[in-house]
Amino acid sequence: MSKDEDQLHPLDAFEVFENVHALAATAAKSTVPSLRTAQELLDWVLGDPDRTQNQKNNEAAAIRWLGRADDTPLSAIQLDDVRHIVDHRFARIRSHKSLNKIRRSNIVTLLNGVLIRAGVLSVGTRRGGRVSHLWSLWLNAVLCLDDRNALASFARFCTKRGIEPADVTLGTWNEYVDETLCRSTVKRPRAALQKVLRKSNAARLTIPGWPLPVFPKFKNPRTWSIPRDRFPSSFWSDFDSYEQLSSKPPKNIFDTTAAKQLRPDTLVRYREVAWRTASAQVHAGRSPAEIDSLSALLDVYWLKEGLNWQRKRAGDRFLKDHLNMAAAWLSMADNYVRPDKSVRDAIREEIFDFIDDELGPADFSEKNRKKLDQFSSAHVADEFLYLPYQIMSEIKKKKAITTKDATEMMAAVAIELLLATMVRRKNLADLELSKHFWPASPTKDGKWHILIDQVEVKNKQALRFPLQKQTIALLEFYSKKCRPLLMGKSTDTLFLRADGSAKGRNMVADLVKRTIRRRLDLDVNVHLFRHIGTMIYLNAHPGDFSVPKVMLGHKWQTTTEKFYAWLCATKAIDHFTTVVLGDRNARLTKFKLA
């Protein structure tokens, strides 16, 4: 090496030692073979010379749980399908009743480590590592802690690769997206990526000199619409006419040919349906120029061709979304296009009824049934019902209530109102004290109601819920002692963020879910409260669907029976076996014959 080269690249003894040490460690470490199935992964772990016997035993036990959770052979579990492993295998381990919370966490941690070491994953459930000095400076410029935490994941990804903020490109972002979606065990990767994207793009507007580029929005994988301008302008003009006629009541209410008045949000959805329908037909081979009106759109042959394309895209099966689209076509035909009766009958019988028959009767998904199974124990159900008051009791004992306590109490209020009313997520999150509570405050004899107008309810059925004294006491404690700690300015919104702004629907739902998971280790989303309340009532009053019908806001009792008949069937079978076999089983137990 020349003198000049030596000056340009001075030798550092510590750096030389580190490089030599890393080289030796790499040379000593055994190479990882190509692993295709969980069985091959198990065999590799058991024969790994770099692990101690205890490490091998623990990791092998964790790998066996990939199949043991639902009795699937390890040889049938493909390692290249990372999302299946995360969304199905890990989920089954986390919900397995024979494992306690700590054991489940340990198994998932071991599996993350093994899969990363085997090269199947690049990162586990959380992205660890350090953040460079420059990244720290920009992260600290973000005021909200939640926003900083979201962006820190991307900062660690870049720091690991030696990429500073000013060097980030869209290529860097695409690599991060690919790793998060395809080579990580992050539970909700799309939601995590969306959060980073939103926070970074928002920071560009509020922080001078924000170095990251504008990240492109994600496209919904369930949509396939082509650009609007590829269709003739007459197509959109025709829909504008339909929208105008349907947005107001007819001048003559006895005119049977007048367009039916539709809600604004329904017309917005119908426009989207028209766009998606036309796009599907183009994907199926139709020229966009042919679709010059709604009448042309409702060509039965092309409706079927477009549906065939959609069905194939959905994995050779129909979805409820396809049935909803067919219902929109019928509405357009009846209220505006008014084609020949044969065309209308074909849309009804050959398309709508055909999809309806293939989908079968509406029923509970297996996923929801398993979630309800969590409440098969009376002890678990009791803990769940008492949770809001357990939280309130803990907070009342504190000398000083913090904003964190106020947020915890907010979760208790949300859980209690869901138990007492079984309203949907949007109706819960949108509650306002002056608008939805009547009277403005509880009366002296303890009367207070929640009133939700029909225009705010999914099926246009107004809701009125009288609140019990216990629920009122919980609400008053939150309103007087906790909610003021979260208020940045005067507002009637019931659920608030730490900065005083209104919590969004997703944020309220996530708060409820996280609180129940942390305190009771149960997997419960907001919508499941409707099923839980109905189940508890029908267990006590088998066959009485009239009360759940009112609570759920269903128009027809047949709707309630259709969804919840299986709950009564289960209870009826238990009652039958108890009556028929009860005495026999008691004798068998008494004489120790079984």
Side-chain angles (χ1 to χ4, degrees):
M1 181 180 290
S2 68
K3 183 178 180 180
D4 291 338
E5 288 175 330
D6 187 48
Q7 289 176 346
L8 289 171
H9 304 281
L11 294 175
D12 186 296
F14 180 75
E15 184 180 353
V16 170
F17 173 79
E18 285 291 302
N19 291 337
V20 171
H21 179 75
L23 184 63
T26 303
K29 190 173 182 179
S30 58
T31 57
V32 179
S34 176
L35 304 172
R36 293 171 297 176
T37 67
Q39 183 60 52
E40 292 180 5
L41 179 68
L42 176 64
D43 296 339
W44 172 70
V45 165
L46 291 174
D48 189 353
D50 298 327
R51 314 298 282 173
T52 66
Q53 191 59 46
N54 282 341
Q55 289 174 326
K56 291 179 184 179
N57 292 340
N58 289 335
E59 291 175 348
I63 294 169
R64 291 189 182 99
W65 269 105
L66 284 173
R68 184 179 170 187
D70 60 354
D71 299 323
T72 300
L74 292 179
S75 57
I77 300 174
Q78 301 296 316
L79 297 180
D80 58 352
D81 192 352
V82 174
R83 293 321 310 171
H84 172 77
I85 294 174
V86 178
D87 298 336
H88 297 279
R89 299 288 145 198
F90 280 24
R92 284 184 169 89
I93 292 170
R94 288 190 176 101
S95 62
H96 206 280
K97 293 180 180 179
S98 67
L99 298 170
N100 61 41
K101 185 176 181 179
I102 296 176
R103 178 65 175 142
R104 291 197 296 264
S105 178
N106 289 341
I107 290 172
V108 171
T109 300
L110 284 167
L111 285 171
N112 274 321
V114 170
L115 292 170
I116 290 172
R117 202 169 77 251
V120 176
L121 300 175
S122 297
V123 64
T125 308
R126 293 182 180 86
R127 185 175 274 101
R130 68 183 187 87
V131 174
S132 73
H133 176 66
L134 286 176
W135 274 107
S136 296
L137 293 176
W138 282 112
L139 290 177
N140 289 332
V142 179
L143 297 179
C144 179
L145 177 61
D146 185 51
D147 295 356
R148 286 203 300 272
N149 289 338
L151 292 168
S153 174
F154 184 60
R156 293 188 189 99
F157 171 86
C158 294
T159 299
K160 185 177 180 181
R161 288 157 178 76
I163 301 172
E164 295 297 354
D167 301 325
V168 171
T169 63
L170 290 181
T172 309
W173 171 251
N174 290 333
E175 289 177 17
Y176 175 71
V177 170
D178 181 67
E179 181 181 276
T180 305
L181 288 176
C182 306
R183 295 182 58 79
S184 79
T185 54
V186 175
K187 288 183 185 178
R188 298 171 59 202
R190 283 187 64 83
L193 290 168
Q194 288 275 24
K195 195 170 185 179
V196 176
L197 182 152
R198 289 197 306 269
K199 302 306 180 186
S200 177
N201 288 348
R204 283 181 60 85
L205 303 176
T206 57
I207 300 175
W210 184 255
L212 305 187
V214 176
F215 295 140
K217 292 182 178 180
F218 283 125
K219 291 183 179 179
N220 190 329
R222 297 186 64 183
T223 62
W224 55 82
S225 301
I226 64 176
R228 290 174 182 264
D229 56 12
R230 288 190 59 187
F231 299 105
S233 58
S234 58
F235 173 69
W236 299 114
S237 298
D238 197 27
F239 193 93
D240 290 340
S241 300
Y242 169 52
E243 187 175 46
Q244 186 176 6
L245 287 172
S246 301
S247 61
K248 54 187 177 182
K251 293 180 180 180
N252 182 0
I253 62 172
F254 299 105
D255 184 2
T256 56
T257 63
K260 180 181 177 182
Q261 184 182 5
L262 300 173
R263 292 175 53 199
D265 58 332
T266 300
L267 289 168
V268 170
R269 183 170 63 85
Y270 279 12
R271 183 181 289 271
E272 184 72 18
V273 168
W275 187 14
R276 297 177 70 198
T277 302
S279 298
Q281 293 178 9
V282 172
H283 288 302
R286 191 179 189 184
S287 169
E290 294 180 17
I291 311 173
D292 56 4
S293 65
L294 288 181
S295 179
L297 180 75
L298 297 186
D299 181 281
V300 175
Y301 171 79
W302 282 111
L303 287 177
K304 290 179 178 178
E305 288 296 300
L307 266 177
N308 276 326
W309 180 85
Q310 293 178 53
R311 187 179 188 278
K312 185 175 181 180
R313 192 173 187 273
D316 292 321
R317 64 191 181 98
F318 280 123
L319 305 175
K320 181 68 180 295
D321 185 47
H322 299 147
L323 188 69
N324 292 337
M325 291 179 71
W329 301 336
L330 283 171
S331 179
M332 294 176 194
D334 289 341
N335 295 315
Y336 180 72
V337 177
R338 297 191 179 84
D340 293 340
K341 185 176 183 297
S342 59
V343 174
R344 198 269 180 200
D345 290 345
I347 297 175
R348 161 66 72 178
E349 297 167 10
E350 299 175 23
I351 297 177
F352 182 89
D353 290 346
F354 184 85
I355 299 172
D356 195 30
D357 290 342
E358 182 165 322
L359 287 174
D363 198 1
F364 258 59
S365 66
E366 187 62 27
K367 183 178 180 181
N368 276 335
R369 288 177 188 255
K370 288 182 177 179
K371 286 185 177 181
L372 280 180
D373 284 344
Q374 299 174 109
F375 298 91
S376 56
S377 164
H379 173 70
V380 173
D382 284 344
E383 278 193 324
F384 182 68
L385 293 173
Y386 280 105
L387 178 59
Y389 297 91
Q390 177 65 36
I391 294 173
M392 182 171 69
S393 175
E394 293 174 7
I395 294 175
K396 273 187 171 181
K397 293 176 183 177
K398 295 189 175 185
K399 293 181 179 179
I401 300 175
T402 65
T403 54
K404 184 177 180 181
D405 296 328
T407 302
E408 187 81 350
M409 191 62 211
M410 187 197 316
V413 168
I415 293 168
E416 175 67 7
L417 290 180
L418 286 167
L419 289 169
T421 65
M422 302 200 307
V423 292
R424 290 182 172 86
R425 180 181 68 174
K426 74 182 187 72
N427 296 128
L428 174 73
D430 294 349
L431 286 176
E432 295 181 14
L433 291 169
S434 61
K435 180 179 179 181
H436 297 105
F437 288 81
W438 184 87
S441 58
T443 61
K444 291 182 180 180
D445 56 348
K447 299 290 179 63
W448 212 17
H449 295 75
I450 290 179
L451 308 179
I452 302 177
D453 194 76
Q454 61 182 15
V455 297
E456 301 177 61
V457 183
K458 180 181 177 182
N459 59 1
K460 306 301 166 230
Q461 297 292 296
L463 301 175
R464 179 188 179 99
F465 302 104
L467 299 177
Q468 300 289 321
K469 290 183 179 180
Q470 293 79 5
T471 303
I472 293 173
L474 190 92
L475 270 166
E476 287 193 304
F477 175 73
Y478 167 70
S479 298
K480 294 177 181 178
K481 301 293 184 181
C482 301
R483 186 169 169 272
L485 299 176
L486 302 173
M487 289 177 61
K489 57 183 180 180
S490 179
T491 177
D492 282 333
T493 305
L494 186 63
F495 301 110
L496 302 171
R497 300 177 66 177
D499 61 2
S501 59
K503 267 189 180 293
R505 295 168 184 175
N506 289 338
M507 295 182 72
V508 173
D510 190 52
L511 175 65
V512 170
K513 186 173 182 177
R514 284 189 289 108
T515 302
I516 296 172
R517 167 70 76 181
R518 185 179 71 253
R519 285 180 165 269
L520 301 179
D521 196 25
L522 297 173
D523 183 11
V524 178
N525 57 44
V526 167
H527 195 76
L528 196 71
F529 278 82
R530 296 168 66 81
H531 306 326
I532 296 168
T534 304
M535 180 186 72
I536 293 173
Y537 182 85
L538 289 176
N539 282 346
H541 305 279
D544 182 7
F545 291 99
S546 59
V547 174
K549 167 190 170 289
V550 174
M551 291 297 297
L552 294 166
H554 289 163
K555 285 185 179 180
W556 314 107
Q557 187 162 310
T558 51
T559 304
T560 313
E561 293 176 4
K562 182 169 62 176
F563 278 97
Y564 297 103
W566 68 275
L567 286 171
C568 286
T570 303
K571 195 70 177 178
I573 293 169
D574 288 342
H575 180 66
F576 177 85
T577 53
T578 300
V579 171
V580 175
L581 305 177
D583 290 342
R584 183 207 67 179
N585 292 344
R587 291 192 185 97
L588 289 173
T589 302
K590 180 179 179 180
F591 296 110
K592 299 181 180 180
L593 296 176

